[in-house]
Amino acid sequence: MATTGIVEGTGERRLTARQAQLLDQLTEVFLAEGFAGFTLEDLAVRLHCSKTTLYALADSKEQLAVRVVRHFFRRATAAVEARTAGESDPARRVTAYLEAVAAELTPASRAFHRDLEAFPPGRAVYEHNTAAAAERVTAMIAEGVAAGRFREVHAGLVADTVTTLMSRIGRGDTARATGLDDAAAYRELAALLLHGISR
């Protein structure tokens, strides 16, 4: 089979077209139903493949779960950046970024978030990506202040507030405190920013 040209991680073999398809299918299953309750045999039956095919992706169910979570966030990051790239206005760029994050997280069910919370390696991937997204928003805010598009607020304080809330969303604290899922929380954060820092 031809390779996709995508390397899923440093030092990992390139994926065949079939493996890339399986990762996408596993991602959809995990987002919709979680992953803790599945065995490799369950997943092989669901995806009409052999367990050997799944073992080619990872050596265990736990490693497969981590790989799928990484695949989800890598795919989501690319989609978010693509949706934000066309925005030249700093205020619209920040809002578009957070709304794109919300859109990418929308398919993630409560079961997925529950399993992620209980699975430290997967939770670490989530938190790493949340921290990276917070840094991205912080940079966008700084650009907007420098360009005069954001009102005279303390950029560091706004950035720290955004980072803190994004970290709380990523840890599940906001969901527990408010009942909002991650996607809804990001939409609310986008609205707060739009009305709070724009001139």
Side-chain angles (χ1 to χ4, degrees):
M1 283 189 177
T3 61
T4 64
I6 298 171
V7 178
E8 277 299 304
T10 303
E12 293 181 355
R13 293 184 304 275
R14 290 182 182 274
L15 297 175
T16 65
R18 173 59 174 153
Q19 287 173 328
Q21 180 187 46
L22 284 173
L23 269 181
D24 283 338
Q25 291 174 331
L26 284 165
T27 300
E28 302 315 313
V29 171
F30 284 15
L31 288 173
E33 302 175 41
F35 52 87
F38 288 109
T39 65
L40 283 176
E41 185 171 350
D42 293 334
L43 293 170
V45 170
R46 174 72 72 89
L47 300 180
H48 307 291
C49 68
S50 66
K51 285 200 293 184
T52 302
T53 301
L54 294 179
Y55 277 122
L57 289 173
D59 293 333
S60 67
K61 178 195 163 184
E62 289 72 21
Q63 290 179 13
L64 182 64
V66 171
R67 186 160 196 184
V68 172
V69 171
R70 283 181 181 151
H71 178 69
F72 165 63
F73 282 108
R74 192 171 288 117
R75 191 176 71 177
T77 297
V80 168
E81 290 296 339
R83 290 179 58 178
T84 308
E87 290 292 350
S88 58
D89 178 76
R92 286 198 297 268
R93 188 184 308 125
V94 171
T95 303
Y97 184 88
L98 291 171
E99 288 180 345
V101 170
E104 291 302 311
L105 288 174
T106 295
S109 65
R110 289 188 180 276
F112 175 77
H113 284 293
R114 182 191 62 234
D115 290 348
L116 204 58
E117 179 71 25
F119 182 50
R123 171 55 57 181
V125 173
Y126 194 129
E127 290 178 352
H128 171 79
N129 280 274
T130 298
E135 288 179 9
R136 186 81 170 90
V137 171
T138 298
M140 290 178 185
I141 292 171
E143 290 169 7
V145 171
R149 287 292 291 118
F150 296 151
R151 65 185 180 86
E152 292 301 320
V153 295
H154 193 290
L157 178 62
V158 174
D160 183 63
T161 301
V162 170
T163 300
T164 299
L165 184 52
M166 290 180 76
S167 296
R168 281 181 55 79
I169 293 170
R171 290 194 306 268
D173 296 342
T174 299
R176 285 187 288 272
T178 66
L180 293 173
D181 62 27
D182 289 13
Y186 273 109
R187 289 192 186 95
E188 290 296 325
L189 176 56
L192 284 171
L193 278 177
L194 177 64
H195 296 294
I197 65 176
S198 295
R199 284 190 181 277

